[in-house]
């Protein structure tokens, strides 16, 4: 059931990406479709190749890598080289998905991982922007580029973009992450159809807004205008919907989702203010993805129960060691479990009686000639045999609780005394 629910989510997100891809194609040329096709093809080929290498059947219904590849492309400028898209998608699918077991078990959001890989290895290709309706070469992506709005803010500048353009994405930016109005409309549809929940998006954007309001980076304008530019001129809205709401990499319980989104918001703003890259949200997502199961366990109380159980175990162990150190004995580890006093006393009593009888008989035996020695030894052997039989009969009448008396030890003692008697 969970697998079906997750698969439905990826189907819904793939459909939700269609209007964004169409708008990006209208504004940035048909090269958008070429990059999307290259990314999707690479993701599928990687999935098939790994399945073949592991001798597993190909899961034709798994769209997680394909959806992540399209999301990644939508955050790229239209001038990005094709090889960059192919290499990045292949690495993120291989390492981020299949290295952890494949569908449904990977811990990190694949599109965020792809974005971080591209940003670290090709920053000059990633952090450039192309103005809408500019002339772009279909194969090479050659065109006139400029700095993104986020780069301008990070450098201490003031972006000059009208409010309507900010909402419609009519400014130099990435291919698909700048369509704020369209993204919000898609988010509302997904919320109404219950494909996503409100917990992570609302907590994430609330924290980001409050942080930007309390610590504005853009000077010379009001705090509200600073917040407006901080939130709308970047990819925060797009990241919130298409990366933070993935079911495989987010907590399952509502309160855990709120904590998860708030933590992601704090780390995102810290990265944007003090980090080296302007896509702080993607790095923040990877960090909070690692804490996904922790928040579920914390909310359900499992973590507290495990912590208390460990503390109790450690406390009992320490007390046990203290008692052993006081008595100077380690009965649990160094010695076998002691027999009950009644059984031990009975064993000692029977053994001593048998040995005393045997010693008395040996002392009273007259010394004879050496020629009759074999006959005397035979009588002694018969005597010992009778005594052993008597000891066994008497021992059978003893009730034992946890241990039995060691007959072999008694026999060794008798044999020892018998040899001593020969001398």
């Amino acid at each position: 059931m969970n697998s079906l629910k997750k698969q439905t989510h990826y189907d819904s997100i793939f459909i939700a990406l269609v209007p964004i891809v169409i708008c990006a194609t209208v504004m940035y040329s048909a090269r958008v479709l070429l990059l999307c096709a290259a990314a999707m093809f690479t993701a599928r080929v990687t999935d098939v190749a790994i399945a073949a290498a592991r001798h597993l059947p190909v899961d034709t219904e798994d769209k997680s890598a394909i959806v992540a590849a399209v999301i990644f492309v939508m955050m790229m400028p239209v001038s990005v080289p094709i090889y960059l898209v192919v290499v990045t998608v292949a690495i993120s699918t291989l390492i981020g998905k299949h290295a952890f077991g494949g569908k449904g078990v990977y811990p990190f959001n694949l599109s965020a991982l792809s974005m971080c890989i591209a940003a670290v290895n090709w920053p000059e290709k990633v952090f450039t922007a192309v103005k809408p309706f500019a002339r772009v070469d279909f194969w090479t992506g050659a065109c006139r580029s400029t700095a993104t709005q986020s780069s301008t803010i990070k450098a201490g500048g003031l972006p000059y973009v009208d409010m309507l353009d900010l909402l419609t994405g009519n400014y130099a930016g990435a291919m698909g992450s700048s369509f704020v109005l369209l993204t919000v409309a898609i988010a509302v549809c997904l919320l109404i159809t219950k494909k996503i929940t409100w917990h992570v998006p609302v907590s994430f954007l609330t924290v980001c807004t409050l942080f930007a309001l309390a610590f504005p980076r853009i000077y010379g304008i009001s705090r509200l205008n600073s917040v407006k530019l901080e939130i709308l001129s970047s990819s925060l809205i797009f990241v919130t919907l298409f990366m933070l709401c993935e079911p495989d990499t987010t907590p399952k319980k509502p309160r855990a989702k709120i904590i998860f989104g708030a933590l992601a918001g704090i780390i995102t703003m810290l990265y944007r203010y003090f980090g080296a890259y302007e896509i702080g949200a993607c790095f923040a997502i990877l960090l909070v993805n690692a804490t996904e199961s922790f928040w579920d366990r914390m909310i359900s109380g499992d973590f507290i129960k495990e912590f208390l159980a460990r503390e109790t175990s450690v406390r009992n162990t320490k007390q046990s060691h203290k008692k052993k150190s006081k008595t100077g004995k380690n009965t649990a580890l160094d010695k076998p479990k002691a027999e009950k006093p009644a059984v031990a006393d009975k064993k000692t009593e029977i053994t001593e009686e048998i040995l005393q009888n045997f010693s008395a008989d040996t002392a009273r035996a007259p010394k004879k000639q050496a020629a009759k020695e074999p006959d005397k030894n035979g009588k002694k052997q018969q005597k010992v045999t009778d005594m052993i039989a008597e000891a066994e009969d008497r021992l059978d009448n003893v009730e034992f609780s946890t241990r039995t008396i060691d007959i072999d030890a008694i026999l060794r003692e008798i044999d020892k005394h018998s040899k001593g008697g020969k001398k």
Side-chain angles (χ1 to χ4, degrees):
M1 188 68 182
N2 290 334
S3 177
L4 180 61
K5 185 176 180 180
K6 292 177 182 177
Q7 192 63 44
T8 304
H9 169 83
Y10 291 115
D11 291 336
S12 302
I13 294 299
F14 186 80
I15 295 172
L17 285 168
V18 172
I20 294 180
V21 173
I22 293 174
C23 290
T25 304
V26 172
M27 297 185 70
Y28 293 102
S29 78
R31 193 170 194 271
V32 174
L33 299 178
L34 174 64
L35 295 173
C36 288
M40 294 169 62
F41 179 77
T42 303
R44 175 51 73 185
V45 168
T46 305
D47 282 341
V48 172
I50 297 300
R54 297 175 61 187
H55 304 287
L56 297 175
V58 178
D59 189 352
T60 57
E61 296 182 353
D62 181 15
K63 297 183 179 65
S64 56
I66 293 177
V67 171
V70 177
I71 294 172
F72 163 65
V73 170
M74 289 295 100
M75 294 188 67
M76 290 285 102
V78 71
S79 59
V80 65
I82 297 178
Y83 74 85
L84 187 153
V85 173
V86 172
V87 172
T88 303
V89 170
I91 293 175
S92 63
T93 305
L94 177 63
I95 298 178
K97 179 181 178 181
H98 292 288
F100 291 96
K103 173 186 174 182
V105 296
Y106 54 86
F108 302 107
N109 183 272
L110 298 181
S111 50
L113 179 62
S114 300
M115 194 67 193
C116 293
I117 292 173
V120 171
N121 291 280
W122 300 281
E124 71 284 355
K125 304 291 186 182
V126 173
F127 300 118
T128 58
V130 179
K131 291 183 178 181
F133 308 105
R135 185 183 298 274
V136 181
D137 186 88
F138 182 78
W139 295 106
T140 64
C143 63
R144 178 178 294 181
S145 60
T146 183
T148 62
Q149 305 302 319
S150 298
S151 300
T152 302
I153 295 175
K154 190 170 184 62
L158 176 62
Y160 293 97
V161 183
D162 295 334
M163 184 63 179
L164 182 61
D165 292 337
L166 279 176
L167 296 175
T168 58
N170 188 22
Y171 61 90
M175 284 183 279
S177 61
S178 57
F179 303 124
V180 174
L181 265 182
L182 181 58
T183 304
V184 171
I186 293 172
V188 171
C189 293
L190 293 175
L191 284 170
I192 293 175
T193 56
K194 296 183 179 181
K195 301 302 180 183
I196 62 173
T197 62
W198 61 268
H199 305 87
V200 174
V202 171
S203 59
F204 175 75
L205 292 176
T206 299
V207 170
C208 291
T209 302
L210 293 176
F211 199 103
L213 183 63
F215 309 101
R217 283 197 298 170
I218 306 173
Y219 299 100
I221 59 176
S222 65
R223 287 177 178 263
L224 291 179
N225 285 331
S226 177
V227 171
K228 176 190 71 175
L229 292 173
E230 191 78 57
I231 302 299
L232 299 181
S233 65
S234 62
S235 58
L236 278 182
I237 306 296
F238 184 86
V239 166
T240 303
L241 175 61
F242 292 105
M243 292 187 186
L244 275 173
C245 295
E246 184 185 21
D248 286 330
T249 57
T250 54
K252 308 303 180 287
K253 299 184 180 299
R255 286 186 292 173
K257 290 181 179 181
I258 293 175
I259 298 174
F260 180 87
L263 180 62
I266 294 173
I267 299 177
T268 295
M269 298 309 292
L270 290 176
Y271 259 113
R272 296 187 70 179
Y273 277 50
F274 306 108
Y277 301 100
E278 59 195 71
I279 55 164
C282 295
F283 289 96
I285 288 172
L286 295 184
L287 288 178
V288 296
N289 282 159
T291 66
E292 168 210 347
S293 60
F294 172 79
W295 301 117
D296 280 329
R297 290 163 52 216
M298 176 68 78
I299 295 300
S300 62
D302 293 341
F303 175 79
I304 298 177
K305 293 178 183 178
E306 293 174 3
F307 177 78
L308 293 177
R310 287 196 299 268
E311 287 295 316
T312 303
S313 177
V314 171
R315 191 181 303 110
N316 293 338
T317 303
K318 289 182 179 180
Q319 291 177 355
S320 176
H321 285 314
K322 286 182 180 180
K323 291 180 180 178
K324 291 172 184 176
S325 62
K326 289 181 180 179
T327 59
K329 298 179 180 180
N330 190 355
T331 57
L333 298 177
D334 299 333
K335 296 183 178 180
K337 185 181 293 185
E339 297 174 336
K340 286 190 174 182
V343 176
D345 293 342
K346 192 69 176 176
K347 170 185 172 181
T348 303
E349 179 183 346
I350 294 173
T351 304
E352 289 179 353
E353 183 178 351
I354 293 173
L355 293 177
Q356 289 175 1
N357 293 337
F358 182 78
S359 298
D361 292 342
T362 304
R364 289 194 300 269
K367 296 182 180 180
K368 297 183 178 181
Q369 299 296 328
K372 297 181 180 181
E373 190 69 22
D375 184 53
K376 183 178 77 171
N377 291 340
K379 291 181 179 180
K380 282 188 176 182
Q381 187 66 33
Q382 182 64 35
K383 184 79 172 179
V384 171
T385 303
D386 295 339
M387 293 175 67
I388 292 174
E390 179 186 356
E392 290 179 348
D393 293 338
R394 297 179 64 180
L395 290 174
D396 288 338
N397 296 326
V398 179
E399 295 182 358
F400 303 106
S401 59
T402 57
R403 295 175 59 89
T404 58
I405 295 175
D406 192 351
I407 299 298
D408 292 336
I410 298 177
L411 294 177
R412 286 195 296 270
E413 291 292 331
I414 293 175
D415 186 61
K416 179 179 178 182
H417 282 273
S418 175
K419 292 180 179 178
K422 290 179 181 181
K423 296 178 181 178

